[in-house]
PDB file of all heavy atoms in Angstrom:
ATOM      1  N   GLY A 255    -157.209 155.358 -35.273  1.00 82.00           N
ATOM      2  CA  GLY A 255    -157.124 156.807 -35.434  1.00 82.00           C
ATOM      3  C   GLY A 255    -155.731 157.343 -35.172  1.00 82.00           C
ATOM      4  O   GLY A 255    -155.478 158.534 -35.357  1.00 82.00           O
ATOM      5  N   VAL A 256    -154.810 156.491 -34.764  1.00 80.00           N
ATOM      6  CA  VAL A 256    -153.454 156.933 -34.446  1.00 80.00           C
ATOM      7  C   VAL A 256    -152.791 157.508 -35.691  1.00 80.00           C
ATOM      8  O   VAL A 256    -152.793 156.897 -36.757  1.00 80.00           O
ATOM      9  CB  VAL A 256    -152.617 155.762 -33.883  1.00 80.00           C
ATOM     10  CG1 VAL A 256    -151.165 156.178 -33.695  1.00 80.00           C
ATOM     11  CG2 VAL A 256    -153.218 155.274 -32.569  1.00 80.00           C
ATOM     12  N   GLY A 257    -152.246 158.710 -35.561  1.00 75.00           N
ATOM     13  CA  GLY A 257    -151.537 159.352 -36.657  1.00 75.00           C
ATOM     14  C   GLY A 257    -152.429 159.965 -37.711  1.00 75.00           C
ATOM     15  O   GLY A 257    -151.972 160.324 -38.794  1.00 75.00           O
ATOM     16  N   ARG A 258    -153.692 160.131 -37.406  1.00 73.00           N
ATOM     17  CA  ARG A 258    -154.633 160.632 -38.409  1.00 73.00           C
ATOM     18  C   ARG A 258    -155.234 161.972 -37.984  1.00 73.00           C
ATOM     19  O   ARG A 258    -155.331 162.272 -36.806  1.00 73.00           O
ATOM     20  CB  ARG A 258    -155.761 159.631 -38.608  1.00 73.00           C
ATOM     21  CG  ARG A 258    -155.239 158.275 -39.034  1.00 73.00           C
ATOM     22  CD  ARG A 258    -156.331 157.508 -39.708  1.00 73.00           C
ATOM     23  NE  ARG A 258    -155.913 156.157 -40.017  1.00 73.00           N
ATOM     24  CZ  ARG A 258    -155.428 155.795 -41.197  1.00 73.00           C
ATOM     25  NH1 ARG A 258    -155.258 156.656 -42.148  1.00 73.00           N
ATOM     26  NH2 ARG A 258    -155.093 154.541 -41.407  1.00 73.00           N
ATOM     27  N   ASP A 259    -155.661 162.733 -38.972  1.00 67.00           N
ATOM     28  CA  ASP A 259    -156.334 164.005 -38.721  1.00 67.00           C
ATOM     29  C   ASP A 259    -157.802 163.728 -38.420  1.00 67.00           C
ATOM     30  O   ASP A 259    -158.623 163.622 -39.302  1.00 67.00           O
ATOM     31  CB  ASP A 259    -156.206 164.936 -39.928  1.00 67.00           C
ATOM     32  CG  ASP A 259    -156.936 164.430 -41.162  1.00 67.00           C
ATOM     33  OD1 ASP A 259    -157.143 163.207 -41.272  1.00 67.00           O
ATOM     34  OD2 ASP A 259    -157.320 165.252 -42.000  1.00 67.00           O
ATOM     35  N   PHE A 260    -158.111 163.555 -37.172  1.00 61.00           N
ATOM     36  CA  PHE A 260    -159.487 163.241 -36.817  1.00 61.00           C
ATOM     37  C   PHE A 260    -160.096 164.425 -36.089  1.00 61.00           C
ATOM     38  O   PHE A 260    -159.456 165.019 -35.235  1.00 61.00           O
ATOM     39  CB  PHE A 260    -159.550 161.993 -35.934  1.00 61.00           C
ATOM     40  CG  PHE A 260    -160.968 161.591 -35.649  1.00 61.00           C
ATOM     41  CD1 PHE A 260    -161.701 160.952 -36.620  1.00 61.00           C
ATOM     42  CD2 PHE A 260    -161.562 161.900 -34.447  1.00 61.00           C
ATOM     43  CE1 PHE A 260    -163.031 160.603 -36.380  1.00 61.00           C
ATOM     44  CE2 PHE A 260    -162.876 161.560 -34.202  1.00 61.00           C
ATOM     45  CZ  PHE A 260    -163.603 160.902 -35.181  1.00 61.00           C
ATOM     46  N   PRO A 261    -161.310 164.820 -36.364  1.00 55.00           N
ATOM     47  CA  PRO A 261    -162.176 164.168 -37.335  1.00 55.00           C
ATOM     48  C   PRO A 261    -161.733 164.489 -38.748  1.00 55.00           C
ATOM     49  O   PRO A 261    -161.407 165.620 -39.048  1.00 55.00           O
ATOM     50  CB  PRO A 261    -163.562 164.732 -37.045  1.00 55.00           C
ATOM     51  CG  PRO A 261    -163.304 166.040 -36.386  1.00 55.00           C
ATOM     52  CD  PRO A 261    -161.982 165.923 -35.677  1.00 55.00           C
ATOM     53  N   SER A 262    -161.703 163.469 -39.577  1.00 57.00           N
ATOM     54  CA  SER A 262    -161.295 163.648 -40.962  1.00 57.00           C
ATOM     55  C   SER A 262    -162.450 164.207 -41.763  1.00 57.00           C
ATOM     56  O   SER A 262    -163.594 164.212 -41.320  1.00 57.00           O
ATOM     57  CB  SER A 262    -160.851 162.315 -41.558  1.00 57.00           C
ATOM     58  OG  SER A 262    -161.959 161.456 -41.738  1.00 57.00           O
ATOM     59  N   ARG A 263    -162.162 164.640 -42.958  1.00 54.00           N
ATOM     60  CA  ARG A 263    -163.212 165.162 -43.825  1.00 54.00           C
ATOM     61  C   ARG A 263    -164.244 164.097 -44.125  1.00 54.00           C
ATOM     62  O   ARG A 263    -165.403 164.372 -44.369  1.00 54.00           O
ATOM     63  CB  ARG A 263    -162.616 165.725 -45.100  1.00 54.00           C
ATOM     64  CG  ARG A 263    -161.887 164.695 -45.909  1.00 54.00           C
ATOM     65  CD  ARG A 263    -160.946 165.348 -46.917  1.00 54.00           C
ATOM     66  NE  ARG A 263    -160.010 164.351 -47.354  1.00 54.00           N
ATOM     67  CZ  ARG A 263    -160.148 163.673 -48.475  1.00 54.00           C
ATOM     68  NH1 ARG A 263    -161.151 163.895 -49.268  1.00 54.00           N
ATOM     69  NH2 ARG A 263    -159.269 162.765 -48.804  1.00 54.00           N
ATOM     70  N   TYR A 264    -163.831 162.813 -44.112  1.00 54.00           N
ATOM     71  CA  TYR A 264    -164.765 161.739 -44.401  1.00 54.00           C
ATOM     72  C   TYR A 264    -165.688 161.467 -43.220  1.00 54.00           C
ATOM     73  O   TYR A 264    -166.737 160.888 -43.364  1.00 54.00           O
ATOM     74  CB  TYR A 264    -164.026 160.457 -44.786  1.00 54.00           C
ATOM     75  CG  TYR A 264    -164.964 159.484 -45.429  1.00 54.00           C
ATOM     76  CD1 TYR A 264    -165.337 159.628 -46.748  1.00 54.00           C
ATOM     77  CD2 TYR A 264    -165.557 158.467 -44.700  1.00 54.00           C
ATOM     78  CE1 TYR A 264    -166.225 158.768 -47.329  1.00 54.00           C
ATOM     79  CE2 TYR A 264    -166.460 157.605 -45.276  1.00 54.00           C
ATOM     80  CZ  TYR A 264    -166.781 157.762 -46.589  1.00 54.00           C
ATOM     81  OH  TYR A 264    -167.690 156.927 -47.159  1.00 54.00           O
ATOM     82  N   GLY A 265    -165.304 161.907 -42.041  1.00 62.00           N
ATOM     83  CA  GLY A 265    -166.145 161.735 -40.869  1.00 62.00           C
ATOM     84  C   GLY A 265    -167.505 162.398 -41.020  1.00 62.00           C
ATOM     85  O   GLY A 265    -168.397 162.176 -40.228  1.00 62.00           O
ATOM     86  N   LEU A 266    -167.623 163.186 -42.064  1.00 69.00           N
ATOM     87  CA  LEU A 266    -168.901 163.855 -42.313  1.00 69.00           C
ATOM     88  C   LEU A 266    -170.046 162.863 -42.467  1.00 69.00           C
ATOM     89  O   LEU A 266    -171.164 163.134 -42.049  1.00 69.00           O
ATOM     90  CB  LEU A 266    -168.800 164.716 -43.573  1.00 69.00           C
ATOM     91  CG  LEU A 266    -167.818 165.875 -43.519  1.00 69.00           C
ATOM     92  CD1 LEU A 266    -167.671 166.501 -44.905  1.00 69.00           C
ATOM     93  CD2 LEU A 266    -168.256 166.903 -42.501  1.00 69.00           C
TER      94      LEU A 266
END
Side-chain angles (χ1 to χ4, degrees):
V256 174
R258 302 202 186 265
D259 66 335
F260 185 77
S262 70
R263 61 198 163 98
Y264 195 79
L266 296 171

